[in-house]
Amino acid sequence: MNWDEYTLWAKRIADWGTEYHKTLADRPVRAQTAPGEIAGQLPLGPPEDAEGMDAIMGDFERIVMPGMTHWQHPRFFAYFAANAAPPSMLAEMLVNTVAAQCMLWQTSPAATEMEGVMVDWLRQAMGLPDGFSGVIQDSASSATLSAVLTMRERATAWRGNREGLNGQGRLRIYCSDQVHSSIDRACWVAGIGQDNLVKIGTRAGGHYGIDTDELAARIAQDRAAGCIPAGIIAITGGTGIGASDDLAPMLAIAAKEDLYTHLDAAWAGSAMICPEFRAQFWDGVEGFDSIVFNPHKWLGAQFDCSIQFLRNPQEQRNTLKIEPEYLKTSGAEVTNYSEWTIPLGRRFRALKLWFLIRSYGLEGLRTRIRNHVLWAQELCEVIRDMPDFEIVTEPILSLFSFRCVGDDALQQRLVDAINDDGRIYITQGMHAGAKVIRFQVGQFDTTRDHVLMAAQVISEIRETL
Ligand SMILES: *Cc1c(COP(=O)(O)O)cnc(C)c1O
């Protein structure tokens, strides 16, 4: 492809994107395809001869688009949102065009320095004290793995130990039973093992925070049994029902036991740019060693963009840093963010935050989040009043769960039928051993009308079952 063709297609694709977004609300939210349907339309082998962009783009529309679930659809209420606000998409176009590797300061000074400043902008926006720094990772899963590895390192000094984990005793990490599966996976990958991730029950009602009495008792028991407690992982805004721990009492236990602490606020963290939500959920947050939140969820930065705040980045660097000769750079003291993370190669993720935050201002972003919380509460009241429906968990920020009268199988049939209908998209979860229907409001372009329409769709589809 020459650059004249590139220009032609770049402009066409930009126009295609505008049209796509303007007509998005008319499409079914979840892809309405069967497994294998898309792969079946693709040639089994690669072409020997070059093909033109006309053919490629034509096939994209004909084959690929019918197989897409529309995450930017204003009636996407499943999982959590993965918002791509238009200014962040434009920044990503620029990043893709310049296509730099941002592993070291020297390999892209602007990317490194912008990253430091954007992390600090968000630190201020979220009311974290001066002194926290941080890094932008691809995902909360990676940040959590980094934190778990640091817990392991701190407890065992394993890195310098040629015998590996042999003979170190059993490490233990503690969390509530409401944490995301990425915590389990981090513990397997770090070699700590599922059995050594101790899940503590939560207190019923409120925000379903961890039972801190049980937490303290388990740590004491484990020490008595010769285990090595290594860290505590807290959650603000669990995936199932939004469970959020009371942070201050957990941190008090961690301080007493000298444990490394990590907070997973992947979804709910975005709401902490609003002081009223910090007051509700983040009392004591400044005591954490590591905090992760995903601007690529609720805030509006196009995927991927996960911020990990660190109180003392040196601990994570001690765990992950490696500097072979070919990565050494001479000269002044600079930050090389690849020493803070597991992958070496890094994208320029800070630019989309710069575009996003400047385009809306913090106040514009707060307004969206506050509206989502408000509309979720409104919808919750409408569903509460619908015959044959009950609210199971009250809204925590913009997430609540409900059931229709009937067994678990009926809940799943209702969810599936609603998603087959296509006007809205929702997903199920488990709470207290029973299947619930989750509802979260968080899509960047959703309106009150879109949210309230969901009640109509839910009751209408319920009638057909
Ligand atoms: C989405 C989510 C994660 C995982 O985030 P990734 O960035 O996809 O790894 C972890 N924890 C919580 C609470 C989440 O909502």
Side-chain angles (χ1 to χ4, degrees), residues 332-465:
E333 192 60 22
V334 291
T335 298
N336 293 319
Y337 278 119
S338 57
E339 296 171 358
W340 301 40
T341 58
I342 296 164
L344 171 63
R346 318 187 74 243
R347 303 182 61 244
F348 185 177
R349 297 192 179 92
L351 194 71
K352 57 195 165 193
L353 285 171
W354 198 48
F355 275 48
L356 174 78
I357 297 169
R358 293 181 68 187
S359 292
Y360 295 92
L362 287 178
E363 202 45 36
L365 298 172
R366 286 189 196 110
T367 300
R368 274 189 157 74
I369 286 170
R370 286 174 177 142
N371 280 338
H372 295 165
V373 171
L374 218 62
W375 298 335
Q377 287 167 351
E378 241 183 287
L379 179 74
C380 177
E381 293 315 313
V382 175
I383 294 178
R384 200 192 306 277
D385 288 342
M386 285 174 7
D388 295 343
F389 283 90
E390 56 169 1
I391 301 302
V392 180
T393 60
E394 298 296 325
I396 293 180
L397 293 168
S398 65
L399 170 67
F400 65 95
S401 69
F402 63 95
R403 281 172 67 92
C404 62
V405 173
D407 59 10
D408 278 3
L410 182 67
Q411 315 305 319
Q412 192 62 58
R413 273 172 57 214
L414 179 56
V415 167
D416 293 342
I418 286 169
N419 295 336
D420 287 344
D421 169 83
R423 280 174 291 173
I424 67 171
Y425 183 24
I426 53 177
T427 42
Q428 72 288 339
M430 287 296 276
H431 178 68
K435 193 162 282 203
V436 295
I437 302 175
R438 281 173 88 256
F439 200 99
Q440 69 76 30
V441 180
Q443 206 286 320
F444 208 75
D445 292 326
T446 198
T447 61
R448 183 171 173 274
D449 286 349
H450 284 304
V451 174
L452 292 180
M453 178 184 158
Q456 178 60 36
V457 174
I458 292 165
S459 89
E460 200 184 298
I461 305 283
R462 171 70 187 84
E463 292 302 312
T464 66
L465 292 186

Side-chain angles (χ1 to χ4, degrees), residues 80 138-142 144 180-183 235-239 264-268 294 296-297 303 306:
F80 287 129
D138 58 351
S139 63
S141 302
S142 297
T144 293
H180 186 265
S181 53
S182 55
I183 283 67
I235 179 114
T236 303
T239 318
D264 177 6
W267 161 62
N294 283 351
H296 72 225
K297 277 183 170 158
F303 188 82
S306 183

